[in-house]
């Protein structure tokens, strides 16, 4: 904490908290986004303080992800600024490889977060400073700086749906994917997975490969695309095509190729949205599923597809189409959400509804009075890297101005 110094005495607004002055920006969150900002600042000679509620960097990856997880996009689209992935890493690095790379990234830029402190409040005061208050096992601390970077991201808290009977009737084990590690413990069991995004589809495949009998709930329409087309990644091909063609034309090409390679997914109960995959992603942030083998298991009948759940019963679930089925366990692949509104006392930059910047990418990285956001672009690590570089450049201008004064 070389950029910090303890301020003498206590402050009247919170007499129980010690106050620490931070000469550089305060970055809330030590995930990939927060590390990227700290690294970009360090490269410009600007110190920063990273505050993390967990006891490790990239806690979502280390503590809340399943074992078989890999980057869903090629590593070339997931690199953080200033330090590429090792050449020997595969195209789609494993969870262990990605975490190892992040640890090397933090070490390389000498990023040493303050761990175990949860930010409970951050607000701008009348003197022109941000006051960030944290708690750790009953101890309170207040950090003061001219800049605050919200880097807690889109996936700070689990989303748990309120489905009739889920907590009051169903007798089987029910967990969110944040607590799922491997299908080994579900061997021989019938498991219902609620959620049809990339995580839900991959968890189903993992369950199937470990001897379970999974079913998946397809409440909403979903685009499923091959992970690779024409010998290259679908994402990379899409980005290349968008340089020359309108998004609607690219979507038609992608769906034509998907139909050739995957067949008519609607026959399997997998309805496609009316908007194309890229247009839908741009408008709503909903990511298409990149198939890694789950679809073949659905076609073979090893994974059953169900519509929305009407209610849970003691032994299983009733579905909106009238079917009933018994299940031994339930896994909620229902995603995450931002928690920024719970601690940032500011209503203009971030929406209280979804916890995301009100202005979409590429204009959602900068607020007013030294407030910034990174990791909320709905464009993954690539979007976070772009915003991290912009934030560091903007702070550098102010930093140099202050230095001249």
């Amino acid at each position: 904490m070389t950029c910090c110094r303890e301020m003498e005495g206590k402050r009247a607004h919170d007499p129980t908290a010690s106050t620490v002055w931070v000469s550089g920006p305060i970055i809330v969150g030590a995930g990939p986004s927060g590390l990227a900002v700290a690294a970009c600042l360090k490269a410009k000679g600007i110190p920063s303080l990273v505050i993390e509620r967990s006891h490790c960097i990239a806690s979502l990856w280390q503590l809340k992800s399943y074992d078989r997880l890999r980057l869903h996009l090629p590593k070339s689209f997931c690199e953080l600024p200033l330090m590429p992935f090792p050449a020997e890493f595969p195209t789609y690095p494993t969870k262990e490889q990605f975490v190892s790379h992040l640890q090397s990234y933090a070490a390389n830029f000498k990023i040493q977060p303050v761990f175990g402190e949860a930010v409970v409040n951050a607000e701008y005061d009348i003197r022109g400073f941000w006051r960030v208050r944290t708690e750790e096992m009953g101890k309170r601390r207040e950090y003061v700086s001219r800049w605050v970077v919200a880097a807690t991201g889109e996936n700070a808290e689990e989303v748990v749906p309120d489905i009739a009977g889920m907590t009051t009737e169903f007798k089987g084990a029910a967990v969110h994917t944040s607590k799922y590690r491997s299908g080994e413990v579900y061997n021989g069991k019938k498991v219902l997975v609620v959620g049809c995004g990339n995580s839900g589809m991959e968890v189903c495949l993992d369950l199937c490969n470990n001897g379970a009998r999974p079913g998946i709930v397809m409440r909403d329409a979903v685009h499923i695309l091959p992970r690779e087309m024409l010998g290259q990644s679908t994402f990379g091909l899409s980005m290349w095509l968008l340089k020359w063609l309108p998004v609607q034309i690219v979507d038609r090409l992608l769906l034509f190729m998907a139909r050739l390679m995957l067949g008519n997914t609607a026959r399997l109960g997998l309805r496609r949205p009316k908007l194309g995959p890229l247009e839908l992603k741009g408008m709503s942030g909903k990511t298409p599923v990149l198939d890694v083998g789950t679809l073949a298991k659905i076609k073979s009948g090893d994974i059953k597809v169900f519509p929305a759940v009407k209610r849970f019963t003691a032994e299983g679930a009733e579905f909106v189409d009238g079917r009933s089925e018994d299940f031994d366990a339930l896994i909620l692949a229902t995603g995450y959400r931002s928690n920024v509104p719970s601690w940032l006392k500011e209503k203009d930059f971030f929406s209280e509804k979804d916890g995301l910047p009100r202005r979409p990418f590429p204009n959602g990285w900068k607020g007013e009075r030294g407030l910034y956001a990174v990791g909320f672009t709905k464009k993954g690590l690539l979007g976070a890297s772009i915003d991290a570089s912009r934030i560091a450049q903007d702070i550098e201008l102010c930093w140099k101005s202050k230095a001249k004064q």
Side-chain angles (χ1 to χ4, degrees):
M1 266 197 284
T2 56
C3 65
C4 307
R5 65 178 176 85
E6 200 85 14
M7 299 177 72
E8 294 182 0
K10 306 293 183 182
R11 298 298 182 223
H13 62 270
D14 191 353
T16 65
S18 61
T19 303
V20 178
W21 167 256
V22 182
S23 60
I26 297 171
I27 301 171
V28 183
S33 298
L35 297 178
V37 175
C40 289
L41 289 168
K42 180 63 70 71
K44 296 178 180 298
I46 302 173
S48 64
L49 177 68
V50 181
I51 302 175
E52 169 58 45
R53 65 181 176 180
S54 299
H55 289 82
C56 63
I57 64 169
S59 61
L60 182 67
W61 280 82
Q62 295 208 61
L63 306 178
K64 295 185 177 183
S65 62
Y66 43 92
D67 294 342
R68 65 162 287 142
L69 179 63
R70 287 176 175 264
L71 289 179
H72 288 129
L73 302 181
K75 62 182 180 181
S76 58
F77 296 101
C78 300
E79 291 181 338
L80 299 186
L82 307 173
M83 185 173 161
F85 284 105
E88 64 271 17
F89 273 24
T91 302
Y92 302 93
T94 65
K95 166 184 171 179
E96 292 76 15
Q97 289 171 325
F98 184 60
V99 169
S100 173
H101 178 65
L102 291 179
Q103 291 170 336
S104 298
Y105 189 84
N108 182 69
F109 293 101
K110 297 180 173 57
I111 303 169
Q112 298 177 317
V114 173
F115 291 116
E117 293 192 25
V119 173
V120 295
N121 184 284
E123 58 185 326
Y124 192 75
D125 69 13
I126 58 175
R127 298 179 181 177
F129 295 97
W130 284 95
R131 294 184 176 273
V132 179
R133 301 183 185 105
T134 68
E135 287 186 359
E136 178 190 18
M137 299 181 66
K139 296 181 180 179
R140 297 180 180 180
R141 184 172 288 170
E142 180 181 72
Y143 298 92
V144 182
S145 173
R146 294 186 182 276
W147 307 276
V148 165
V149 182
T152 47
E154 304 159 3
N155 302 315
E157 292 183 353
E158 296 89 345
V159 172
V160 178
D162 183 16
I163 304 175
M166 187 174 73
T167 58
T168 57
E169 299 289 333
F170 185 61
K171 295 180 180 179
V175 299
H176 190 272
T177 48
S178 61
K179 294 180 174 61
Y180 176 92
R181 296 296 172 266
S182 169
E184 290 181 359
V185 298
Y186 296 96
N187 181 271
K189 296 182 178 180
K190 290 184 66 177
V191 185
L192 183 65
V193 178
V194 177
C196 56
N198 279 294
S199 293
M201 295 287 272
E202 196 162 355
V203 165
C204 266
L205 179 61
D206 187 56
L207 287 165
C208 211
N209 291 341
N210 281 282
R213 292 172 290 161
I216 188 167
V217 172
M218 293 284 177
R219 185 182 64 179
D220 302 316
V222 60
H223 279 299
I224 301 177
L225 303 174
R227 188 169 68 170
E228 296 183 344
M229 293 181 179
L230 303 175
Q232 58 181 303
S233 75
T234 298
F235 183 80
L237 177 63
S238 301
M239 295 301 100
W240 182 80
L241 288 172
L242 285 173
K243 293 179 180 179
W244 313 101
L245 300 171
V247 63
Q248 292 85 356
I249 300 298
V250 177
D251 273 340
R252 290 177 187 175
L253 292 172
L254 293 177
L255 292 176
F256 175 75
M257 291 298 299
R259 180 69 176 255
L260 287 179
M261 298 175 68
L262 303 178
N264 183 4
T265 58
R267 293 180 179 178
L268 304 171
L270 311 175
R271 296 177 294 108
R272 289 194 181 275
K274 293 182 179 179
L275 289 177
L278 299 182
E279 189 174 9
L280 182 64
K281 171 69 174 175
M283 292 183 62
S284 69
K286 188 173 182 179
T287 303
V289 171
L290 297 175
D291 181 53
V292 293
T294 308
L295 199 59
K297 296 292 185 180
I298 293 175
K299 290 178 178 179
S300 67
D302 293 318
I303 298 174
K304 297 179 68 174
V305 177
F306 296 93
V309 176
K310 181 180 180 180
R311 64 184 297 271
F312 284 98
T313 63
E315 304 299 329
E318 295 177 1
F319 300 94
V320 293
D321 64 353
R323 282 187 288 173
S324 296
E325 191 93 13
D326 291 345
F327 294 99
D328 301 305
L330 169 65
I331 297 173
L332 299 171
T334 44
Y336 298 84
R337 62 174 168 240
S338 164
N339 70 351
V340 172
S342 70
W343 57 268
L344 181 63
K345 306 310 172 185
E346 188 277 342
K347 298 181 180 180
D348 296 326
F349 186 34
F350 278 89
S351 167
E352 291 184 277
K353 181 179 180 180
D354 59 13
L356 303 178
R358 295 183 186 277
R359 297 189 300 272
F361 181 85
N363 301 310
W365 60 276
K366 183 179 179 180
E368 300 293 331
R369 301 174 300 187
L371 176 62
Y372 299 90
V374 63
F376 300 91
T377 64
K378 295 186 177 180
K379 295 186 181 298
L381 294 168
L382 180 61
S385 296
I386 293 172
D387 280 356
S389 298
R390 288 171 173 163
I391 290 169
Q393 290 170 5
D394 197 68
I395 292 176
E396 182 185 28
L397 295 175
C398 186
W399 182 268
K400 288 180 176 179
S401 176
K402 298 290 183 185
K404 289 180 181 179
Q405 294 176 10

